Amino acid sequence: MALPVMVRAALPAVPVVNQLPGIKKTGGSLPDVTLRRDDVAVERTQVERYAAVCGFPNKDVAPVPYLHMLAFPLHMELMTDARFPFPAIGSVHLENTIVEHRPVAIGESVSLALQATNLRASTKGRAWDMNVTGTVGDEVVWESTSTYLRVGKGDKENGDPGMSLDAVDVKGPVWSLPDNLGRRYAAVSGDRNPIHLYPLTAKALGFPRHIAHGMWSKAACIAALENRLPDAVKVEVAFKKPIFLPGKARFGAEETANGWSFALVSPKSGAPHLLGRTTSL
């Protein structure tokens, strides 16, 4: 997230300033627009930097979640647009689904298109989807849906309760997450949301200290399963409780009829940070 984008993201959270025309967020409908990044090269040096932070081996193809990094500027461009109804800062990344139709090779160029859809009542506020389609030429190779939540007055009876995922009996390794993990991931992903960077910047936004990126957590879980996943796969996750940095998290996975169920939990309490599943396509 470049500095001008960070400023645009932050302004709707600044009192008085957030009432100015072009900055004020109205909570209305989603803009009917498609944003694009065309012919983005999948470069080995960038893929390997990402892989090192998330725990993937170096290969001649990009890791399953890597294209999310290439699409992230589109997420921020749309959410900082004056027409977008909700502020970027304070919107919660609730769920993420990635469908990889085939691995994307190092050196290929991918075109990405993003649309925001399905604004709806949630049990905890209002939710919407950011849908990305990645193509190589005319071939759809990768898709994602990131569900965001604006916490507010929810509809407890009829609102969307979110993704239903099976619990996992987590008995795997405990991961130690260093204090600088958010800054390291920000450097490779471009996601420099202040809640992930330093205790001081996180406290300014209501957190006791900084937290790990949800998409780092998802990527690390995929990396732990990487050698057991097929080339064509769907990976769905629901983000639960944040992981404060520095911190620890325990990973576990169970094989299912058509993939894996997995989780990342607190080693002390067992409370889930992330629940997920993979499905072979």
Side-chain angles (χ1 to χ4, degrees):
M1 203 188 322
L3 182 59
V5 177
M6 291 180 63
V7 171
R8 293 201 304 274
L11 287 178
V14 178
V16 181
V17 174
N18 62 10
Q19 298 302 308
L20 296 175
I23 296 174
K24 183 178 180 179
K25 296 295 186 177
T26 63
S29 60
L30 298 169
D32 183 15
V33 297
T34 300
L35 302 183
R36 297 189 59 86
R37 295 187 73 198
D38 289 318
D39 298 322
V40 183
V42 178
E43 299 177 354
R44 184 176 297 278
T45 55
Q46 299 303 317
V47 171
E48 291 184 352
R49 288 178 63 226
Y50 172 84
V53 174
C54 299
F56 290 97
N58 290 330
K59 292 187 172 183
D60 290 331
V61 296
V64 171
Y66 178 75
L67 266 63
H68 180 81
M69 304 302 96
L70 303 185
F72 183 71
L74 296 176
H75 286 241
M76 292 310 303
E77 182 182 346
L78 185 54
M79 286 199 286
T80 56
D81 189 296
R83 297 168 293 177
F84 199 79
F86 307 107
I89 298 294
S91 294
V92 180
H93 193 178
L94 198 64
E95 300 170 353
N96 179 268
T97 297
I98 291 173
V99 176
E100 181 177 82
H101 296 282
R102 69 157 173 87
V104 177
I106 303 295
E108 286 194 286
S109 292
V110 180
S111 294
L112 301 153
L114 176 143
Q115 290 182 314
T117 65
N118 195 21
L119 179 61
R120 59 198 182 272
S122 160
T123 54
K124 297 181 180 180
R126 300 182 77 190
W128 69 94
D129 297 330
M130 303 283 263
N131 300 305
V132 176
T133 301
T135 55
V136 175
D138 295 329
E139 179 189 9
V140 175
V141 295
W142 189 93
E143 298 174 272
S144 75
T145 298
S146 297
T147 298
Y148 288 89
L149 171 71
R150 194 71 193 176
V151 176
K153 184 179 179 181
D155 185 340
K156 301 295 184 184
E157 293 186 3
N158 301 310
D160 181 3
M163 195 181 291
S164 177
L165 294 162
D166 294 334
V168 175
D169 184 14
V170 178
K171 298 179 179 179
V174 174
W175 299 344
S176 293
L177 282 58
D179 175 82
N180 69 346
L181 177 62
R183 299 189 291 277
R184 291 179 60 215
Y185 186 79
V188 299
S189 70
D191 184 352
R192 294 184 173 86
N193 188 323
I195 64 174
H196 302 303
L197 302 182
Y198 298 96
L200 188 61
T201 57
K203 285 179 181 177
L205 294 169
F207 290 84
R209 64 183 195 272
H210 53 312
I211 64 175
H213 292 74
M215 287 304 294
W216 175 87
S217 300
K218 178 172 184 174
C221 291
I222 295 173
L225 294 168
E226 190 264 349
N227 62 354
R228 289 170 276 184
L229 298 181
D231 286 346
V233 65
K234 176 193 284 189
V235 187
E236 303 166 273
V237 300
F239 303 113
K240 301 297 185 179
K241 295 183 178 296
I243 306 174
F244 292 101
L245 299 174
K248 294 182 183 295
R250 185 184 297 276
F251 173 77
E254 296 175 346
E255 193 167 9
T256 66
N258 197 32
W260 294 84
S261 291
F262 59 92
L264 203 56
V265 305
S266 164
K268 291 184 177 180
S269 69
H273 298 299
L274 174 153
L275 296 175
R277 66 179 167 227
T278 77
T279 306
S280 301
L281 300 181

